[in-house]
Each structure stands twice: as C-alpha cells, then as structure tokens.
Amino acid sequence: MERPVTSGAETTNPAAPSASTDSTADPDARAADPYAAPAAGLDGIPRQRPLAVERVHVAVASAESAPAAAENAPATTGSARPLPARLRRVRPWWLFPTPTGTPFTFGYAVVLAVTSLIAEYADPGLVDRVLQASSTDVAHLAQSPVRVLVASALWIAGGLTSAYVIAFLLVLTALERRIGGWRTAGVFLLGHGLATLATEIPVGLSVLAGHLPESSLHRYDYGISFGVAASVGALAGLLRPWLRWTVLAVFGWMVVGDLIAFTDPMTNWGHLMALAIGVAIWPVLRRVSSRTTTGSTEIPRTARACP
C-alpha cells in the first residue's frame, strides 16, 4: 500500500484549491492571513513568509537608493553655505587704521589726538603762541618753510569735532592699504605743501602790490584739510568708476559750497587746488597700486619650484 505525499499538499492535491484562487476569490482573507503560501510553491520546501521577504526587498531597495537620494536632496535651510568670495573679503575693521595694517595713518592719528587735547585743555596763551609759530603764513614761509609746513600739519583746525577728522581716518586708511605708508605720506604732504604755497604766494604778492594790508603776512594758517583733500582726490582714482565719481561729486560739492559762502576764500580755494592735485597724480598712483597688488600676491605652494 503506497503512502500519499504529504509535503506540498496545496499544490499536489488537485482537490485542494490553489492559493491564487483563494486570494482571487477572497481578498480579505488574503490580507487577514499574511503568512499564506505563495502563489507558486515547490514540493518539499516549507511554506514561505512573503511578508518577511517583502521586508527584505524593501530594506535592500532603500539602502541602494539612499546615496542617490542624498546627492539629489536640496540643502536644508539650516545648513552652512559658503559665502561668496566678494563677501569673504569684506572686513569692516579695515575702514579704520591699525598699528600693523596702516602704521602711518595710525601713528599720525595718535599725534593729532594728542595735539588736539593740548589745544583743548592747555593754557590758552601757550596754545596761541604755539599755533602762531606753526602757521604757514607768508612771514614764516619766507623764514623757515620746511619747519612750518611740517608743524602746521600737526594741528586740526576745529579740533576733534571737525569733519576732516573722519575724512582723515577713512581716506588715509583706504589709501595706505592700496599704495603703502610712505606713498600715502608723500601724497598728503604734496597736497598740503603745494596747496599752501598756491594760496600764500598770491597773498604776499597782493601785499607787495598794496592790495592787502601788511597784517595779512601774519594770518593763521594751519591744519590737515589740504592734505586730506589731496588724499581724497588721489583715492578716487583707485576706486571703481561709480564710487570714484560719487566721492568726487560729494567732496567737490562741499568745496564749491564753501566757495559760494565766501567765508574764507583763500582756504576754500586751497581745498579745491588740493583736490585737483590728488586727481592729477592718478596715473602714477595706478601704476604703483598695480605693482603693489601684484607683488603682494602669494604664490600657491603647489606652483612653487622645489628647492
């Protein structure tokens, strides 16, 4: 007597309904029994668990698609994004002088601060005598021109509250960062000296011709305004076109407004002349600035020749 085959009873027994028929006929029963046999089973192999198999396939598919999804996913709002190169170069503290970055402007600003405090709190009679000795009037220029040209640039007309103090700090700092300390000092002294001579020589000639009284030879004339005006004109030539003409227009309008007011015509004409001196040296400063920028560029290590 032969034994009937017991394994794979669902597929070998023709009387038994197939799994596909059951799932087709009753879908709810199929969903209720997640461990039902697969549609096409094999004899001698135990009944499989399709839900577990599906979980394995889903896990494998998720692992394979994760790198691609991470590459294509957009950056979140909280992720750090590198700033543009132009913004990375912006440093607000570069607007003002520092001992290491702009030593000439920084040292000069310290000297001006000290002399301004002396003029404010020292004995008025002493201050008056010192200022008179530092004045670049016709009489002092005829006796010791170099001494008074240097001494007159150590005082600020109007003290620390003058608008030329802020202009001095911003303009000379920017100019020194572009052309260096010695060249900045040269621009300042050039404008200060030439504008002073251009305003005082006509005064001396007018006194000799009898058009002005002799007291005009001893008038007060000191301060940094001529040097600052020349530095503004020089710096404008190193800026971008839109900023260059904006700076010249604003400063030029201030100078012209002073001329129209006619409060101190000789000094106001000196400001306009100093501004023109700064503009006249644009070609020289541009060559110097380009050489300075090229010379300060660091060669990458990968491009350096091996010793």
Side-chain angles (χ1 to χ4, degrees):
M1 183 175 180
E2 297 181 356
R3 292 183 179 180
V5 179
T6 58
S7 63
E10 292 80 358
T11 58
T12 55
N13 190 357
S18 62
S20 59
T21 304
D22 293 341
S23 61
T24 304
D26 190 6
D28 296 335
R30 175 71 174 179
D33 185 12
Y35 300 104
L42 297 178
D43 294 341
I45 297 180
R47 186 179 299 177
Q48 303 296 315
R49 295 186 178 183
L51 183 60
V53 175
E54 289 176 2
R55 287 178 179 177
V56 173
H57 285 300
V58 170
V60 173
S62 300
E64 291 176 352
S65 61
E71 294 177 357
N72 298 327
T76 59
T77 56
S79 60
R81 296 180 180 179
L83 293 174
R86 182 178 299 178
L87 294 180
R88 288 199 302 268
R89 292 194 298 266
V90 175
R91 297 176 175 87
W93 56 89
W94 277 21
L95 297 176
F96 297 96
T98 58
T100 56
T102 55
F104 167 72
T105 305
F106 183 84
Y108 197 0
V110 171
V111 172
L112 292 175
V114 172
T115 57
S116 297
L117 293 176
I118 292 174
E120 181 69 23
Y121 298 104
D123 180 67
L126 175 63
V127 173
D128 185 72
R129 290 192 298 270
V130 172
L131 293 178
Q132 181 63 43
S134 304
S135 176
T136 53
D137 52 37
V138 177
H140 285 110
L141 286 174
Q143 296 173 0
S144 54
V146 177
R147 181 184 65 82
V148 293
L149 283 173
V150 174
S152 64
L154 301 179
W155 304 90
I156 303 176
L160 294 176
T161 59
S162 173
Y164 282 96
V165 174
I166 300 299
F168 171 88
L169 293 175
L170 297 179
V171 172
L172 266 73
T173 298
L175 189 61
E176 185 173 358
R177 291 191 186 279
R178 286 166 172 80
I179 64 174
W182 288 106
R183 298 184 181 94
T184 302
V187 171
F188 185 92
L189 293 176
L190 181 67
H192 175 72
L194 291 183
T196 299
L197 295 176
T199 54
E200 292 296 338
I201 290 177
V203 172
L205 296 177
S206 297
V207 171
L208 291 177
H211 300 295
L212 289 176
E214 189 175 351
S215 60
S216 300
L217 300 176
H218 305 280
R219 72 187 190 95
Y220 278 98
D221 188 13
Y222 64 90
I224 61 173
S225 59
F226 290 170
V228 172
S231 300
V232 170
L235 177 64
L238 304 177
L239 301 176
R240 297 179 181 274
W242 67 270
L243 185 57
R244 174 190 311 153
W245 301 117
T246 301
V247 170
L248 289 179
V250 172
F251 192 83
W253 176 253
M254 294 171 54
V255 172
V256 172
D258 292 338
L259 279 173
I260 295 175
F262 208 73
T263 54
D264 189 358
M266 296 305 298
T267 301
N268 298 331
W269 276 111
H271 292 156
L272 188 59
M273 293 176 185
L275 182 65
I277 291 170
V279 173
I281 60 176
W282 279 1
V284 178
L285 293 182
R286 285 171 177 172
R287 288 195 297 267
V288 170
S289 179
S290 62
R291 288 200 303 267
T292 303
T293 305
T294 305
S296 62
T297 302
E298 183 180 358
I299 301 175
R301 294 185 178 182
T302 56
R304 295 175 181 172
C306 297

